[in-house]
Amino acid sequence: MNPNFIKKVLFCILFVSFIYSGFSQKPKIVTVTGEADIELTEDKSRMQVKDEAEKFATIDALERAFGTVIIQGNSTYISNKNTGEKIESSSGFNMIADTYVKGEVVEVLNKNFKDIEGTKTTVDGKTVKFVHIKCTIKIKAKEKKEKAVVFTASPLSCNNLKCQTTTFKDGNDFFMYFSSPESGYVTIYLDDKITAQRMLPYINMPPVYENGIPVKADKQYIFFSKDPEHDYFHGEDVTVEKLELFAESNQDLNRIFVIFSKSSLSKPKLKEKLNEKVLTEMDKEEGYKMPKSIESEEFQHWLIKNQQIREDLQIMPIDITIDKF
């Protein structure tokens, strides 16, 4: 058989496979209907109430198609509106009327508004009339997919890449390996479902590093190491804190969030003494400090809101365990 013919056949197969793969990765578009009604009150115009009803009808449609977004502890879940099943998700989200949804509108096919009149009893026993404006909307929608993470990150139990692990013991030192094919900025948080502690930037870094540690493309970093070869600040007034993990129960499950962006990322509002109760007097005398922190659910809201406005934002969640004994 002619070898050139074989090459042509192989090329055709690969080309068809590539086309099929490209189409198969496109998000599926669904048609779905949603509805909502909002009361027409004296402090709002009819146009304002119609706009509000349309937004909430759109949210209802997207939630029917892709589920309801629930933030709980250090996790974000998608709950099926019909079955109640809850699945943990790291997907990208959209935000409409301060509500997170897992989909986006491709096309509005139809929308209708209808006045609903009735009466209600006030707290002082009076019967008054009310008017609700109901919106029914039919849309084409697609699921919001998560962005691919291009950087590499791994927890370490020593300041060497051979010590990669997600299992630690109480009192173990903690290090983090990081490398990215693109230059940018990195921040790291540890979340215990109650608070998210900012581990990187370090506690006492100059203000210039408040919104992320600059990293160079293709360079390998090991953070939280005091070794000279891991000094990335070239004589600047930067103190690298030794990071030690501890467990409050027999086994703690924590989540590390490694956050990378091409430009610096404005930090959330952090508190200095949110977690200090876990330190003993001896710990304080020995100079141990807790990182600045934020409540876990506030941290999740901050992450999702930034995903809406930052195309360059990449987030890697890593679960670790800390055993007491």
Side-chain angles (χ1 to χ4, degrees):
M1 184 179 290
N2 188 333
N4 288 329
F5 175 76
I6 294 173
K7 288 180 182 178
K8 289 178 181 178
V9 171
L10 285 173
F11 172 78
C12 289
I13 292 171
L14 288 170
F15 181 71
V16 171
S17 175
F18 173 78
I19 292 176
Y20 176 77
S21 173
F23 277 108
S24 66
Q25 292 175 2
K26 287 185 178 180
K28 182 181 178 181
I29 295 177
V30 299
T31 300
V32 64
T33 301
E35 58 183 35
D37 63 84
I38 304 294
E39 186 174 358
L40 180 60
T41 54
E42 293 181 356
D43 60 327
K44 293 180 182 178
S45 69
R46 174 172 284 271
M47 184 178 295
Q48 287 175 308
V49 174
K50 285 178 71 174
D51 181 62
E52 195 172 339
E54 181 179 342
K55 286 178 181 177
F56 281 99
T58 302
I59 291 168
D60 182 55
L62 292 171
E63 288 182 339
R64 288 173 188 270
F66 308 115
T68 303
V69 178
I70 299 171
I71 294 176
Q72 183 178 333
N74 60 15
S75 301
T76 304
Y77 297 90
I78 303 299
S79 177
N80 186 304
K81 290 193 78 169
N82 298 318
T83 66
E85 182 184 11
K86 196 166 69 172
I87 300 172
E88 190 168 358
S89 174
S90 59
S91 297
F93 298 102
N94 193 10
M95 189 165 64
I96 303 172
D98 294 326
T99 301
Y100 300 122
V101 288
K102 195 172 177 282
E104 52 191 339
V105 178
V106 175
E107 181 184 356
V108 176
L109 300 175
N110 187 30
K111 62 181 174 183
N112 293 303
F113 295 95
K114 177 183 178 181
D115 282 11
I116 301 173
E117 298 181 357
T119 59
K120 62 182 180 180
T121 304
T122 63
V123 291
D124 56 3
K126 294 180 180 179
T127 300
V128 295
K129 294 181 179 180
F130 69 80
V131 176
H132 283 205
I133 297 179
K134 180 178 180 178
C135 176
T136 302
I137 194 167
K138 186 177 183 181
I139 60 174
K140 284 185 177 180
K142 62 181 180 180
E143 187 177 15
K144 187 88 171 176
K145 295 292 187 181
E146 67 178 300
K147 299 171 186 175
V149 175
V150 299
F151 65 79
T152 303
S154 179
L156 308 172
S157 59
C158 75
N159 59 0
N160 191 296
L161 193 53
K162 68 182 181 182
C163 296
Q164 294 183 63
T165 185
T166 56
T167 303
F168 294 86
K169 292 189 180 298
D170 190 78
N172 276 174
D173 291 337
F174 178 90
F175 305 89
M176 176 66 76
Y177 168 80
F178 180 89
S179 183
S180 168
E182 300 174 302
S183 296
Y185 294 80
V186 63
T187 56
I188 300 174
Y189 288 79
L190 183 145
D191 197 310
D192 63 4
K193 296 189 178 180
I194 300 173
T195 59
Q197 304 171 49
R198 189 183 69 177
M199 304 160 74
L200 193 74
Y202 301 122
I203 295 173
N204 295 315
M205 295 197 80
V208 69
Y209 295 110
E210 273 289 286
N211 294 322
I213 300 297
V215 290
K216 296 180 180 178
D218 302 319
K219 183 177 176 66
Q220 294 187 325
Y221 293 84
I222 292 183
F223 293 114
F224 313 108
S225 169
K226 291 177 175 283
D227 284 6
E229 62 264 37
H230 302 141
D231 176 12
Y232 309 115
F233 305 99
H234 310 294
E236 294 183 55
D237 185 21
V238 172
T239 301
V240 177
E241 288 94 12
K242 177 184 177 183
L243 200 59
E244 188 175 308
L245 299 177
F246 60 89
E248 294 189 72
S249 64
N250 287 337
Q251 184 180 73
D252 286 1
L253 176 62
N254 291 173
R255 178 163 291 179
I256 305 292
F257 287 90
V258 184
I259 305 167
F260 173 81
S261 55
K262 291 182 183 177
S263 58
S264 62
L265 178 66
S266 295
K267 69 176 184 63
K269 186 176 181 180
L270 300 171
K271 300 175 183 177
E272 287 197 5
K273 298 184 178 181
L274 199 59
N275 268 340
E276 286 226 327
K277 61 181 182 295
V278 303
L279 294 177
T280 65
E281 289 303 317
M282 186 177 293
D283 290 333
K284 294 175 183 177
E285 288 175 8
E286 291 179 358
Y288 284 98
K289 292 182 179 179
M290 295 299 294
K292 291 181 180 179
S293 304
I294 181 174
E295 283 82 1
S296 182
E297 292 192 6
E298 283 187 36
F299 175 68
Q300 289 297 315
H301 284 291
W302 173 78
L303 275 184
I304 293 176
K305 283 182 179 178
N306 275 283
Q307 284 180 300
Q308 317 309 313
I309 60 176
R310 293 292 298 261
E311 289 293 326
D312 64 329
L313 191 65
Q314 299 172 43
I315 302 165
M316 179 188 289
I318 305 171
D319 288 330
I320 65 169
T321 57
I322 309 169
D323 294 322
K324 194 76 169 178
F325 305 104

